[in-house]
Amino acid sequence: MIEKEYIEPNEGFSQTVIVKTGNFKTLYISGQIGDGADLEAQTIATFQNLEKQLQNCNAAFEDVVKMNTYIVNFNPEVDLPVFRKVRKVFLGNENYPASTLVGIQSLGRKEWLIEIEAIAVVE
């Protein structure tokens, strides 16, 4: 039997949905954003918000199996090194999750530069 738990429900979405199947929980974490004056500051805050959602579910970054990242007006030569530097601080140097990075025109608010969503699996 599959059970669902909705963490921090908001208007129209939940921050995380936990799906329990047998001895495993799959965490579907909604896109997280962060405050800051530039992409680096927002990326740090975004990863901190992801970490908070994981911790709320007794999980950690090593439990993440998939990440989708959206960066506004993505310039690979400038933005990719910034993203990778911050990601390395939170995820380490190896065993990265499957990932997708997409450059987009805009996010839900004009001041947001990055949004990251994740899927994690825990026993």
Side-chain angles (χ1 to χ4, degrees):
M1 181 172 166
I2 296 176
E3 297 176 45
K4 295 179 190 172
E5 182 180 352
Y6 300 88
I7 309 298
E8 293 186 45
N10 289 291
E11 188 176 322
F13 73 100
S14 295
Q15 288 293 340
T16 302
V17 175
I18 301 172
V19 177
K20 299 175 187 175
T21 309
N23 293 330
F24 294 95
K25 296 189 301 186
T26 303
L27 315 175
Y28 296 90
I29 302 172
S30 289
Q32 300 295 301
I33 50 91
D35 293 327
D38 59 18
L39 180 63
E40 183 171 7
Q42 287 192 23
T43 302
I44 291 167
T46 298
F47 271 101
Q48 289 170 336
N49 289 335
L50 275 171
E51 188 170 49
K52 175 185 171 240
Q53 292 303 315
L54 289 164
Q55 290 172 345
N56 284 346
C57 300
N58 296 314
F61 278 113
E62 52 266 10
D63 300 311
V64 174
V65 297
K66 175 73 170 125
M67 293 179 80
N68 292 332
T69 302
Y70 308 93
I71 297 178
V72 173
N73 299 322
F74 181 65
N75 177 338
E77 292 78 28
V78 176
D79 300 334
L80 193 55
V82 170
F83 173 74
R84 285 179 172 165
K85 179 179 88 171
V86 174
R87 181 184 62 185
K88 188 176 185 179
V89 170
F90 288 90
L91 273 65
N93 294 319
E94 56 187 27
N95 297 325
Y96 288 115
S99 296
T100 301
L101 190 156
V102 180
I104 58 170
Q105 183 177 345
S106 66
L107 288 164
R109 292 197 178 155
K110 65 179 180 169
E111 63 270 18
W112 295 346
L113 301 175
I114 185 168
E115 184 168 351
I116 303 174
E117 59 187 22
I119 299 171
V121 178
V122 293
E123 197 167 353

